[in-house]
Every structure is written in structure tokens, then in C-alpha cells.
């Protein structure tokens, strides 16, 4: 991004507004280096980081990061075995302590909120905590950089000796300030000279105290004497102080040595903390200007909704919608001076720069931004006396430079395009420049006073007129940006309201160009229509909200009724199926008895028995697809068309049969051996026909024999895989029910007398499903819970 546009749009002023929210030197350095990016992924990542920081600010009041110095130079010195000072070690200690606090903060935040903070994760996950080293430094060095007594036992003992020696010296010196000796002193006090305790003695009594003279007053009347009695004590104190300094220096050296192996990690921690401080500052700034997160448009559509200039008073700034790139790529803004045209240009440009810097924007929600490699602007009077350039010339020099650099990824802002020269030539030049910009595919906004450009904006494709609204009644601009409506000249109306003679107004109106007057009338009509449409839009919006609420209420009530109806119907069908199942069991026992009678010589027609059984089967109710859609999503099995003469597999028995005829309600009469049965289509599976060949000429007896051989093979395989126990634990409900159905079929085909089904207790869904299935199955004689926790069911076949 060119530096000139940053200066023109006052980008640095926005950065200065963010600065007070920073607490670390690294964060401040990152703000100083902040520039707009032209990489779409980078912009999205930076906006996502600001969004995560905003969530933290909303949930926890923001990140708590204390004032941290830049420790980069400290770590460089540590690497060359230099010893850090107490102040520098204290700064490193604060970085280490803050690292631990911030790492713990994110750990607790993620656990409590169950939000991984995806955008900030690459940063806080890089923090390296060093608890032992952190404790060692912060115990040894206080916040002001002084070595504490806990730094080492030797230093603690030395300081105790210093304290006791100082107390003894003071006690001895206090004796000189009291009693008979006080008369020899200029003042009864104890003071310091050359880091040694002394008393102010009158010059004529110097011999009374002996010892060493360290200083005298300007008049020579007072000598500062260290009495002979305390010379040795002061000497001992000086030795202890020197010893203390050596011990402190050794502690600095030892602590610096501990930092050397982890210097890189500490420096990286400081950088991460600085970045977190920076994104935290961006979030706080967003709250201060009531900003929202914009969306980066993949189509490069710029849609600023209710946009406000960030450097204006946010309570007084008039919000405007600024849209470009969707239906048009050039906007011609007309209107009176001081109406807000220039601030609209700057608002668009500055907000786009902010978005490409990862900053939230003072706009309404659902704002979208584009990505531009460069933004250019020709704004303001750049008249140069030194270069002998007029206003027009300076503008043209700037425009020529812009035209040499723009491409389809550029945004260009022109303020008073073509001004400063003959109006006719200026208007023609402005239109030609806008055409040149449009040919590159760049977006452009231009303000102008030329009426010719209003017609240009109306006739050119990808171009639209706009204006700044002016209230003729109050003679004040409203600063409202009107897309699609060119600016209207209000000179005559304003002059009239200011008291200009009506004769002059009339003469001016007569001299005004008819086309210009017609254009103003057209604009007035457009404004009136626009206001009417806006009023109607507000009414329609309110009506839509009311209708949507009513629609939602009715849909909820209808869904509740459908659910209740479906549930009641399904419950009734289940109960009916249980009744039918009990009836089938009784019918099977009767048929069994009749067959026994037939074997004993009593003649009973088999087909009558099968017809009776078929009627019972027809009574069974199947869940309807419509109810299944309401109660649960289930796939309805699809069957191939079955015709008379087809070979089918009877699913329940695992045996093949031949379809004799098709009955009503998707039911079929099937010959299975000597038995005739009426079965529904979902109980049958159509089998592939045998290829035509020699088998066609075989007798019916041979075909029957072959079928029996296949059946016996299937039965053998079934017996081979038969089991008396089924474990359904850990399975999904649908999977468990399907496996249960196959298991019961296998058990019955293999003539097992009883089986055990392990379903566990769990939530009870599978357990309940097993009970429902067994209750409805006509081959089940009895079943009951078993096991210490009733986690299994014992089943007997009848």
C-alpha cells in the first residue's frame, strides 16, 4: 500500500487512537509496523483474531497483560554471557510471570467456554511456561529491580550484619548529640559524608573528638568529623556494604546464566504476549468506536452499512450506506460545498484500509469489504509555490501518477475532479479520466460540481450518481449520502430564503439554462419518490416481521399436532400388532393340531388353513411412511415388482417358494413346499430366474428335488452358524433390531428351544425394543428378564 494514501486518509490517526489500549513494548512495536495487507487470507486471519479477542473482552473483560518492556536486547546480551542488571532481570521476570498467567487464563477459558479460540490458538499454544525459573527470579528480584533478602542465605546474613552495625553506629553517634558533648556541636544531628556517619563539630573544638575530618562548611565554622570511637565501626560497615555488592553482582550473574539456555523461548514468549496485547487493544478500540466485524467478500464487493468516519465523534457522526462493486464500480457524487462529499470519500478509503489491517469497522452488521492492492486518492488543494504549480496543475500531476499505477485491484478517490480550470473543459477532462479508470477495471469515487457529470453517471454502464442531501428549509446539509440520486443545485432557493430580492431570483431563473432547470426538477421528483419508497419500505418491513412471527407460531402448532397425531396412530398400530400376534400364535397351535389330525387320518384341506392364516396376517398394521417422516427419519424398503410364477425367498423362514397369484394390498399367495401362505411384499425377496437351458426340459419332479437340495444346503449352513446367545451391547438401535430379527429367524430354523439376548440396561432403548419385538413375534412362547441386573432376556420358542 502506497505511503501517500496512508497520510492522505489519516491512517496514523487511527493507530494513535489504538495506542492508549496497549501495555507492552512489543505490542506498541507491532502497532507501529501495522500496515494494510493485500492478502485475503491474512486479512481474514487478522479479523478472526480480533473477533476472538472481542469474545474474551465480552466474556472476561479482556486479557490482563501488565506493562512489559521489550526484552529482545536483554536476551541478546544473555546469549554472550553478559550479566543483566536488577532492573533488566525484573523486566524478564515480569515476562515469565505474565506468560504463566496468560497460559493458565486460556486453559481455564477454553475449559469453561468450550471455545478453542481457533484464531488465537497458534499464539497461546506457543507460550512456554517455566515455573521454577519464574519463581527463582521473582523471589530474588523485586519489581523495582532490587535484590531481595531471599536471593541467597549469605546475602541475608550480610544484610543483617549491616543493619546491626548501622544501629550500633547510630547509637554511638547519638551519644555525642546528648549530654556535655552537645555543646561542642554546631547542630545536634548525625549526618553522612563520603558514605560514613559524621557529626557537625565547631571548628575550635576539633581536638575534642579526634578521628577524621571528612568535610567542612563554606564558612569554615563547622567541621564534619567522624569521631575516633566510630572509625572502626564505620570501616566494618563499609566492608559489609562492599561484600553485599559483590554478592548481589554474583546473584545477577547466576540468574543471567539460568536465562541463557531458554533465551530464545523467553524472547518468543515476549513476542506472543505483545501480539496478544495488540489484538486485545484492537478489540478494546472496536468497543470504543462501536465497531463490528466485517466480512471479506470473495467477489470484492464493498458494502459499508451505516458507516461512520472513525475520527469523528461517533455520537454525532451521520451514518451512511456506501456500496460499490455489486451493480456498479464507479460513483459520481454531486452536491453543495460543506455537504459531506469529501468526508464520504475519506470514510470509504479509511474504512477499507482499516479492514485490510484486521480492524473492526464503525459500521452496522453484515458489512462486507473488498481487498485492494492499492488505494489512490487525489484529495485537497496541493498547490505548490516552490514548484510553480497551480491548483489545477498540482491535481493533474497527481492524477497522471495515479493513472500510471492503477489496475483492476485498485480503488481510486477523486475530490472535485477537473476543478480549477474552464468548466466545459474541466467536465470533459473529468469524464475522460473516469473512462480511463473504468477501462482498467478499478473502482472509483469522484466528487464534482459539474452538471455534465450527472448525465455521464446516468448514461454510463457500471456507473451511478449519488449526492449529499441538503435541507433547503434549514439551509443546512444533512450529511446523508443518497445513492442513485444526483445532487440538485439549491442556489436559487437558498438565496431566496436568505432574503435576496424576488426580482433578482426571477431574473436568475429566466437566465438559467432550460436543460439545467429540467434536470433540477427531475432530481426533485426523484428525491420525493425515494422518500415515499423509504416510507413504504419501513411499513412493509414491519408487516413482514409480524407475518413471520404469525407464520412461526402456526408452524409450531401444526408440527405439534402432526407429532401428536402420528404418535397416537403408531401407538395404536403397535397395540393392534400385539393383538394380531397373539391371535397368530393361537392360529398356529390350531393349525398344528389339525395337521396332526390329518397325519392321523382325518382329512383337512390345507388351502383352507392357509387362507385363514392369510386373513390373520392381513390384519397386521405397518407403520406408514408419512408417520415415519414425522416421528423419525427411516428408509422405506423398495421391492422389485413380483408377478405370478416368480421364485421368491420367504424372509422369515429363509426358504424359497413360488408365487401362485397376486392379491390385493401388495400381498401374494406363495407355494412353499406343500404349504400355501398369504404374505405381504415386504416379507418376500424376489430371486433371480435360472438361465434357460436344459433345465427347461426337466420334469417338475426334478425341479422340486433340486429346490429341496438347495433348502437342505441353506439349513446346513444355518445350523453351522447357529448360536443360542446374542450380544447387542454397544450397538445402535436400528442395527440392534435388524440383528435381533436375523438371530431369531436362525434360531427358529435350527429348532433351538431357547436363546438368550444380552442387551444391557443402559438407557433402556435397546432393552425396550427387544421386549416389543418379542411380544409381537408369533414364534415366541415366553420371555423374561434374566441376570443379576436384568441386562439379558431369556426366550423360549413355542
Amino acid at each position: 500500500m502506497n505511503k501517500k494514501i496512508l497520510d492522505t486518509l489519516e491512517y496514523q490517526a487511527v493507530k494513535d487512537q489504538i495506542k492508549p489500549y496497549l501495555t507492552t513494548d512489543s505490542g506498541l512495536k507491532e502497532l507501529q509496523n501495522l500496515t494494510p495487507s493485500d492478502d485475503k487470507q491474512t486479512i481474514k486471519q487478522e479479523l478472526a483474531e480480533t473477533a476472538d479477542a472481542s469474545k474474551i473482552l465480552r466474556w472476561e473483560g479482556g486479557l490482563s497483560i501488565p506493562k512489559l518492556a521489550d526484552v529482545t536486547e536483554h536476551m541478546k546480551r544473555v546469549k554472550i554471557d553478559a550479566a543483566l542488571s536488577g532492573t533488566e532481570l525484573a523486566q524478564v521476570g515480569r515476562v515469565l510471570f505474565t506468560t504463566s498467567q496468560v497460559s493458565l487464563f486460556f486453559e481455564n477459558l477454553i475449559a469453561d467456554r468450550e471455545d478453542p479460540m481457533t484464531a488465537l490458538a497458534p499464539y497461546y499454544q506457543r507460550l512456554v511456561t517455566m515455573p521454577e525459573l519464574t519463581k527463582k527470579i521473582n523471589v530474588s528480584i523485586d519489581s523495582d529491580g532490587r535484590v531481595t533478602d531471599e536471593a541467597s542465605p549469605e546475602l541475608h546474613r550480610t544484610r543483617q550484619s549491616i543493619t546491626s552495625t548501622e544501629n550500633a553506629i547510630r547509637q554511638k553517634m547519638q551519644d555525642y548529640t546528648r549530654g556535655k558533648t552537645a555543646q561542642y556541636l554546631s547542630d545536634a544531628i548525625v549526618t553522612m559524608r563520603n558514605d560514613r556517619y559524621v557529626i557537625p563539630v565547631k571548628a575550635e573544638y576539633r581536638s575534642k573528638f579526634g578521628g577524621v575530618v571528612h568535610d567542612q562548611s563554606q564558612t569554615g565554622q563547622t567541621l564534619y568529623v567522624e569521631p575516633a570511637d566510630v572509625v572502626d565501626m564505620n570501616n566494618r560497615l563499609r566492608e559489609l556494604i562492599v561484600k553485599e555488592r559483590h554478592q548481589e553482582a554474583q546473584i545477577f550473574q547466576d540468574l543471567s546464566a539460568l536465562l541463557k539456555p531458554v533465551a530464545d523461548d523467553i524472547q518468543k514468549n515476549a513476542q506472543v504476549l505483545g501480539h496478544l496485547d495488540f489484538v486485545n487493544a484492537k478489540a478494546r478500540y472496536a468497543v470504543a468506536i462501536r465497531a463490528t466485524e466485517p466480512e471479506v467478500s470473495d467477489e470484492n464487493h464493498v458494502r459499508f452499512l451505516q458507516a461512520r468516519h472513525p475520527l469523528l465523534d461517533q455520537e454525532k457522526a451521520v451514518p451512511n450506506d456506501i456500496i460499490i462493486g455489486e451493480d456498479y464500480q464507479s460513483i459520481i457524487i454531486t452536491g453543495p460545498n460543506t455537504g459531506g462529499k469529501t468526508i464520504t470519500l475519506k470514510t470509504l478509503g479509511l474504512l477499507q484500509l482499516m479492514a485490510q489491517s484486521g480492524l473492526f469497522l464503525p459500521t452496522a452488521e453484515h458489512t462486507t469489504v473488498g481487498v485492494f492492492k492499492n488505494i489512490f486518492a487525489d484529495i485537497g488543494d496541493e498547490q505548490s509555490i516552490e514548484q510553480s504549480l497551480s491548483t489545477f496543475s498540482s491535481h493533474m500531476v497527481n492524477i497522471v501518477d495515479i493513472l500510471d499505477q492503477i489496475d483492476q485491484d485498485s480503488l481510486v478517490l477523486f475530490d472535485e475532479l477537473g476543478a480549477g480550470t474552464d468548466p466545459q473543459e474541466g467536465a470533459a477532462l473529468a469524464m475522460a479520466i473516469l473512462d480511463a479508470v473504468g477501462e482498467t477495471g478499478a473502482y472509483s469515487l469522484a466528487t464534482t460540481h459539474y452538471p455534465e457529470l450527472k448525465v455521464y453517471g446516468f448514461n454510463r454502464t457500471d456507473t451511478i450518481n449519488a449526492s449529499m442531501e441538503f435541507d433547503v428549509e434549514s439551509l443546512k446539509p444533512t450529511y446523508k449520502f443518497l445513492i442513485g440520486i444526483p445532487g440538485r443545485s439549491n442556489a436559487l432557493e437558498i438565496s431566496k430564503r436568505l432574503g435576496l430580492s424576488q426580482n433578482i431570483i426571477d431574473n436568475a431563473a429566466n437566465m438559467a439554462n432550460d436543460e439545467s432547470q429540467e434536470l433540477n426538477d427531475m432530481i426533485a421528483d426523484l428525491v420525493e419518490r425515494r422518500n415515499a419508497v423509504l416510507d413504504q419500505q419501513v411499513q412493509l418491513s414491519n408487516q413482514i416481521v409480524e407475518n413471520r412471527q404469525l407464520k412461526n407460531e402456526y408452524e409450531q402448532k401444526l408440527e405439534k399436532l402432526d407429532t401428536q397425531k402420528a404418535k397416537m396412530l403408531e401407538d395404536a398400530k403397535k397395540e393392534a400388532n400385539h393383538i394380531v400376534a397373539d391371535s397368530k400364535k393361537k392360529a398356529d397351535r390350531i393349525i398344528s393340531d389339525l395337521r396332526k389330525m390329518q397325519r392321523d387320518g382325518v382329512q383337512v384341506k390345507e388351502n383352507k388353513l392357509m387362507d385363514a392364516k392369510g386373513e390373520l396376517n392381513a390384519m397386521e398394521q405397518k407403520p406408514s411412511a408419512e408417520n415415519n417422516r414425522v416421528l423419525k427419519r427411516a428408509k422405506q424398503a423398495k421391492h422389485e415388482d413380483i408377478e405370478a410364477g416368480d421364485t421368491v425367498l420367504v424372509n422369515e423362514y429363509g426358504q424359497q417358494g413360488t408365487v401362485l397369484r397376486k392379491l390385493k394390498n401388495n400381498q401374494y399367495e406363495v407355494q412353499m413346499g406343500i404349504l400355501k401362505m398369504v404374505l405381504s411384499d415386504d416379507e418376500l425377496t424376489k430371486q433371480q430366474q435360472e438361465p434357460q437351458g436344459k433345465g427347461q426340459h426337466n420334469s417338475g419332479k426334478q425341479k422340486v428335488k433340486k429346490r429341496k437340495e438347495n433348502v437342505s444346503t441353506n439349513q446346513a449352513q444355518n445350523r453351522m452358524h447357529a448360536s443360542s446367545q446374542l450380544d447387542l451391547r454397544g450397538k445402535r438401535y436400528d442395527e440392534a433390531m435388524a440383528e435381533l430379527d436375523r438371530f431369531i429367524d436362525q434360531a427358529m430354523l435350527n429348532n433351538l428351544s431357547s436363546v438368550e439376548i444380552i442387551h444391557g440396561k443402559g438407557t433402556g432403548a435397546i432393552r425396550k425394543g427387544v421386549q416389543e419385538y418379542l411380544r409381537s413375534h408369533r414364534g415366541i412362547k415366553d420371555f423374561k428378564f434374566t441376570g443379576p441386573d436384568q441386562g439379558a432376556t431369556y426366550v423360549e420358542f413355542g
Side-chain angles (χ1 to χ4, degrees):
M1 197 68 67
N2 65 89
K3 184 179 183 300
K4 186 174 183 180
I5 191 65
L6 302 182
D7 296 336
T8 301
L9 298 180
E10 300 179 90
Y11 181 73
Q12 183 59 44
V14 173
K15 294 166 65 172
D16 290 341
Q17 288 185 331
I18 301 174
K19 187 176 179 180
Y21 300 104
L22 291 166
T23 58
T24 67
D25 287 349
S26 296
L28 182 59
K29 185 181 295 184
E30 190 164 346
L31 176 64
Q32 291 170 347
N33 296 331
L34 178 66
T35 55
S37 171
D38 59 6
D39 181 71
K40 186 176 296 183
Q41 293 305 317
T42 300
I43 296 170
K44 288 183 177 180
Q45 171 63 23
E46 291 176 350
L47 287 172
E49 291 174 11
T50 308
D52 277 357
S54 296
K55 286 191 283 188
I56 296 174
L57 182 60
R58 187 168 64 254
W59 292 339
E60 305 292 336
L63 283 169
S64 179
I65 300 179
K67 186 174 180 59
L68 298 178
D70 186 359
V71 297
T72 303
E73 295 301 322
H74 304 355
M75 295 302 100
K76 289 181 180 179
R77 292 174 52 214
V78 164
K79 288 181 180 179
I80 59 174
D81 296 325
L84 300 182
S85 67
T87 301
E88 291 170 336
L89 285 169
Q91 292 171 348
V92 174
R94 278 194 290 273
V95 170
L96 290 172
F97 179 76
T98 305
T99 298
S100 300
Q101 294 298 104
V102 171
S103 181
L104 180 62
F105 172 83
F106 275 102
E107 182 180 343
N108 294 333
L109 179 69
I110 293 168
D112 294 341
R113 298 287 181 175
E114 297 182 354
D115 187 333
M117 295 287 162
T118 308
L120 294 181
Y123 298 98
Y124 67 74
Q125 290 176 352
R126 282 163 43 195
L127 291 173
V128 180
T129 57
M130 309 167 197
E132 295 299 327
L133 181 58
T134 302
K135 181 179 179 181
K136 179 67 175 175
I137 291 180
N138 286 288
V139 166
S140 301
I141 309 295
D142 66 16
S143 59
D144 295 325
R146 291 188 292 267
V147 182
T148 66
D149 291 347
E150 291 77 14
S152 74
E154 294 80 6
L155 177 63
H156 183 56
R157 287 192 292 270
T158 298
R159 286 181 173 175
Q160 284 183 327
S161 299
I162 290 173
T163 301
S164 61
T165 302
E166 285 180 333
N167 290 336
I169 292 173
R170 289 194 190 95
Q171 183 63 40
K172 186 67 175 177
M173 298 293 281
Q174 289 293 337
D175 292 341
Y176 290 111
T177 62
R178 295 190 294 266
K180 295 180 179 181
T181 56
Q183 59 184 319
Y184 306 122
L185 303 180
S186 299
D187 196 358
I189 60 172
V190 177
T191 185
M192 298 283 293
R193 288 293 186 274
N194 298 327
D195 294 330
R196 299 175 78 90
Y197 287 96
V198 296
I199 53 177
V201 180
K202 295 176 182 178
E204 60 268 27
Y205 299 117
R206 159 73 181 83
S207 59
K208 294 287 184 180
F209 296 92
V212 181
V213 177
H214 288 278
D215 199 3
Q216 68 178 7
S217 65
Q218 291 181 350
T219 60
Q221 296 293 323
T222 300
L223 301 177
Y224 293 93
V225 178
E226 177 185 5
D229 293 345
V230 297
V231 169
D232 289 339
M233 298 173 67
N234 268 329
N235 288 341
R236 186 162 63 255
L237 177 62
R238 296 305 305 156
E239 290 174 0
L240 289 172
I241 292 174
V242 170
K243 184 179 180 181
E244 178 192 29
R245 290 174 179 172
H246 283 302
Q247 289 174 341
E248 288 177 348
Q250 186 61 47
I251 290 171
F252 292 155
Q253 185 66 49
D254 293 342
L255 292 176
S256 300
L258 292 176
L259 295 175
K260 182 177 180 181
V262 292
D264 290 335
D265 289 335
I266 294 174
Q267 185 173 344
K268 291 176 182 177
N269 284 346
Q271 292 172 350
V272 169
L273 293 174
H275 183 73
L276 293 175
D277 179 39
F278 174 62
V279 296
N280 186 55
K282 290 197 295 183
R284 292 184 182 277
Y285 176 63
V287 172
I289 62 173
R290 295 185 286 126
T292 61
E293 180 183 6
E295 178 183 350
V296 180
S297 170
D298 293 329
E299 296 81 14
N300 222 37
H301 293 167
V302 178
R303 188 178 184 85
F304 292 150
L305 303 179
Q306 299 297 289
R308 307 178 302 277
H309 195 286
L311 302 181
L312 297 177
D313 184 343
Q314 296 301 298
E315 297 298 329
K316 298 179 180 179
V318 177
N320 284 306
D321 293 346
I322 307 175
I323 303 170
I324 189 170
E326 297 181 36
D327 301 318
Y328 43 83
Q329 63 183 46
S330 180
I331 301 177
I332 309 297
I333 308 175
T334 51
N337 288 328
T338 69
K341 298 192 302 296
T342 303
I343 200 67
T344 301
L345 289 184
K346 289 186 174 182
T347 299
L348 172 62
L350 184 54
L351 293 190
Q352 188 60 50
L353 291 177
M354 290 173 62
Q356 292 186 217
S357 303
L359 299 174
F360 282 10
L361 306 181
T363 60
E365 292 183 351
H366 311 300
T367 286
T368 61
V369 298
V371 177
F372 299 100
K373 291 183 179 178
N374 245 315
I375 299 177
F376 301 95
D378 178 53
I379 298 176
D381 187 358
E382 298 184 9
Q383 187 181 67
S384 173
I385 297 176
E386 294 180 358
Q387 299 180 15
S388 300
L389 295 176
S390 66
T391 298
F392 175 77
S393 299
S394 64
H395 279 295
M396 288 312 302
V397 169
N398 194 24
I399 290 172
V400 169
D401 184 54
I402 291 173
L403 293 176
D404 288 340
Q405 300 181 63
I406 61 174
D407 57 21
Q408 64 179 3
D409 296 319
S410 300
L411 172 64
V412 189
L413 309 174
F414 294 115
D415 189 28
E416 299 297 344
L417 183 60
T421 186
D422 176 75
Q424 187 173 0
E425 290 185 353
L429 190 59
M431 289 186 284
I433 291 172
L434 290 174
D435 281 341
V437 173
E439 289 174 0
T440 66
Y443 293 178
S444 64
L445 267 77
T447 67
T448 182
H449 284 289
Y450 295 140
E452 292 86 350
L453 265 69
K454 300 176 185 178
V455 180
Y456 173 90
F458 183 78
N459 292 330
R460 288 297 194 279
T461 58
D462 297 331
T463 304
I464 193 170
N465 279 307
S467 61
M468 305 305 298
E469 189 179 57
F470 188 87
D471 188 351
V472 181
E473 296 296 326
S474 65
L475 303 180
K476 293 180 180 180
T478 65
Y479 304 108
K480 291 182 179 179
F481 184 58
L482 308 178
I483 288 284
I485 300 177
R488 179 190 177 191
S489 175
N490 299 299
L492 297 181
E493 288 86 348
I494 294 173
S495 299
K496 181 178 179 179
R497 291 187 61 80
L498 291 176
L500 190 64
S501 170
Q502 184 63 43
N503 291 332
I504 299 176
I505 298 294
D506 294 339
N507 290 335
N510 292 331
M511 288 186 285
N513 186 287
D514 291 340
E515 293 183 359
S516 176
Q517 188 62 38
E518 290 177 0
L519 181 60
N520 282 334
D521 292 341
M522 180 192 72
I523 294 172
D525 183 60
L526 285 174
V527 172
E528 184 178 351
R529 293 186 181 185
R530 172 186 177 274
N531 292 335
V533 169
L534 289 177
D535 292 340
Q536 187 177 18
Q537 184 179 7
V538 171
Q539 295 176 1
L540 290 175
S541 298
N542 294 335
Q543 188 63 46
I544 288 172
V545 172
E546 293 178 5
N547 292 342
R548 187 175 292 125
Q549 291 175 347
L550 288 174
K551 179 176 178 290
N552 291 337
E553 291 177 3
Y554 286 133
E555 286 181 347
Q556 291 174 0
K557 291 179 179 178
L558 181 59
E559 182 179 358
K560 185 177 181 180
L561 288 173
D562 287 344
T563 302
Q564 290 176 346
K565 175 184 175 183
K567 188 176 185 306
M568 292 174 65
L569 187 57
E570 291 303 312
D571 290 344
K573 287 185 176 182
K574 285 182 180 179
E575 186 62 30
N577 287 341
H578 295 324
I579 296 173
V580 172
D582 292 339
S583 300
K584 285 183 177 180
K585 290 180 181 180
K586 295 178 181 178
D588 286 341
R589 293 190 185 96
I590 294 172
I591 292 172
S592 178
D593 293 340
L594 290 174
R595 284 178 181 162
K596 183 178 179 181
M597 293 171 62
Q598 190 177 33
R599 287 194 298 270
D600 293 340
V602 179
Q603 295 297 320
V604 180
K605 291 184 179 181
E606 187 73 24
N607 62 329
K608 292 185 177 180
L609 298 176
M610 292 301 102
D611 288 343
K613 189 170 185 178
E615 292 177 3
L616 287 172
N617 288 336
M619 294 172 60
E620 185 174 0
Q621 298 290 324
K622 301 296 180 183
S624 62
E626 180 180 0
N627 288 333
N628 279 343
R629 283 194 295 270
V630 177
L631 294 177
K632 67 176 183 178
R633 296 177 180 176
K635 294 182 179 179
Q636 186 177 12
K638 295 182 180 180
H639 300 277
E640 301 180 47
D641 292 336
I642 300 175
E643 303 293 342
D646 288 345
T647 301
V648 294
L649 176 68
V650 181
N651 299 329
E652 186 173 351
Y653 298 105
Q655 304 294 322
Q656 288 186 344
T658 303
V659 177
L660 300 179
R661 58 186 177 129
K662 184 175 181 180
L663 306 175
K664 295 180 180 180
N665 300 324
N666 294 326
Q667 292 186 324
Y668 299 87
E669 184 179 5
V670 180
Q671 178 80 45
M672 190 173 65
I674 63 172
L675 298 178
K676 292 180 182 179
M677 304 180 68
V678 176
L679 301 170
S680 60
D681 59 352
D682 57 357
E683 295 179 294
L684 305 174
T685 302
K686 185 177 179 180
Q687 302 295 292
Q688 296 293 331
Q689 297 292 334
E690 294 183 3
Q692 293 183 354
K694 293 180 180 181
Q696 289 179 330
H697 305 289
N698 292 342
S699 63
K701 183 176 180 181
Q702 290 174 327
K703 291 182 180 179
V704 172
K705 182 178 181 181
K706 185 174 182 179
R707 189 181 299 118
K708 288 183 178 180
E709 291 173 354
N710 290 337
V711 172
S712 64
T713 302
N714 292 335
Q715 290 174 340
Q717 291 176 347
N718 290 338
R719 281 194 297 271
M720 181 176 62
H721 296 291
S723 172
S724 62
Q725 188 179 80
L726 173 64
D727 191 346
L728 299 177
R729 290 174 296 182
K731 299 183 182 298
R732 293 179 178 273
Y733 180 83
D734 292 339
E735 178 187 0
M737 293 301 100
E739 190 167 337
L740 173 63
D741 187 52
R742 289 193 297 270
F743 173 74
I744 295 297
D745 286 347
Q746 291 285 352
M748 292 181 65
L749 287 173
N750 288 276
N751 295 322
L752 297 180
S753 61
S754 64
V755 293
E756 185 179 33
I757 302 167
I758 303 174
H759 42 65
K761 295 187 71 175
T763 61
I766 293 180
R767 175 183 179 183
K768 184 177 180 181
V770 169
Q771 298 291 312
E772 289 287 338
Y773 177 88
L774 297 176
R775 183 182 173 192
S776 300
H777 200 289
R778 61 176 177 266
I780 306 300
K781 179 181 178 182
D782 190 22
F783 60 89
K784 59 184 178 181
F785 290 124
T786 185
D789 59 352
Q790 295 189 344
T793 298
Y794 177 77
V795 182
E796 291 184 10
F797 295 104

